[in-house]
Amino acid sequence: MLILAAAAPLWRTIDQPMALKTLVAAVGVALIAWQLWWFLGRHGAGVAARESEAGVQEITITVDGGYTPSRIKVKAHQPMRLAFHRIDPSGCVAQVIFPDFHKTLDLPLDATTSLELPPTEAGVYPFHCGMNMVRGVLEVVN
Ligand SMILES: [Cu+2]
């Protein structure tokens, strides 16, 4: 027959020092802040596209676990050509989507694929991978 020891409680509260509780809370807040910065923050001011002789703004974006640069600055009312150089074998980044331009581009591995976009108004135009996990921003400024 199984006899349960009634005297011993199943758990007991261990009172931790206030300093330890504060430290744990502070580390938690710091991790949340870091996570918000990592996922939502701006990482740098962005990289400006250079202009070709034909007046087309050009920039090459390396696709490797993310877009480098991930924030691209171009001038408004001028055509642009974005060249994506994909070296990441992950299927995640096999496509890049520009929702505001209704453009979807397939990116073959170890190749550079260019996307030409028409001159556009100033604004912030996000782009992302097929699953909306890897993101970048096209910043069009006057
Ligand atoms: Cu993805």
Side-chain angles (χ1 to χ4, degrees):
M1 200 171 114
L2 183 70
I3 299 166
L4 292 171
L10 288 173
W11 70 82
R12 61 197 169 89
T13 305
I14 300 169
D15 215 4
Q16 301 287 1
M18 193 59 197
L20 185 60
K21 291 182 188 172
T22 310
L23 178 71
V24 170
V27 168
V29 168
L31 284 174
I32 290 167
W34 173 81
Q35 194 180 16
L36 288 174
W37 170 83
W38 180 261
F39 286 106
L40 304 174
R42 282 186 177 203
H43 302 263
V47 176
R50 64 198 138 60
E51 217 166 301
S52 75
E53 285 135 53
V56 179
Q57 308 178 84
E58 293 177 322
I59 192 161
T60 299
I61 299 147
T62 303
V63 182
D64 186 14
Y67 301 116
T68 309
S70 63
R71 193 171 190 94
I72 296 137
K73 274 189 179 166
V74 291
K75 288 185 207 129
H77 312 298
Q78 273 184 43
M80 52 195 133
R81 185 180 300 125
L82 309 176
F84 286 89
H85 181 59
R86 178 183 165 211
I87 54 177
D88 184 349
S90 162
C92 177
V93 289
Q95 262 189 347
V96 62
I97 299 171
F98 286 78
D100 299 298
F101 297 92
H102 306 286
K103 295 263 191 199
T104 298
L105 192 67
D106 289 319
L107 305 178
L109 185 58
D110 294 322
T112 301
T113 313
S114 289
L115 175 67
E116 307 210 2
L117 293 174
T120 183
E121 298 291 321
V124 172
Y125 304 92
F127 57 94
H128 54 77
C129 75
M131 285 154 277
N132 201 355
M133 291 166 76
V134 181
R135 294 180 204 160
V137 163
L138 184 65
E139 194 180 332
V140 183
V141 290
N142 279 312

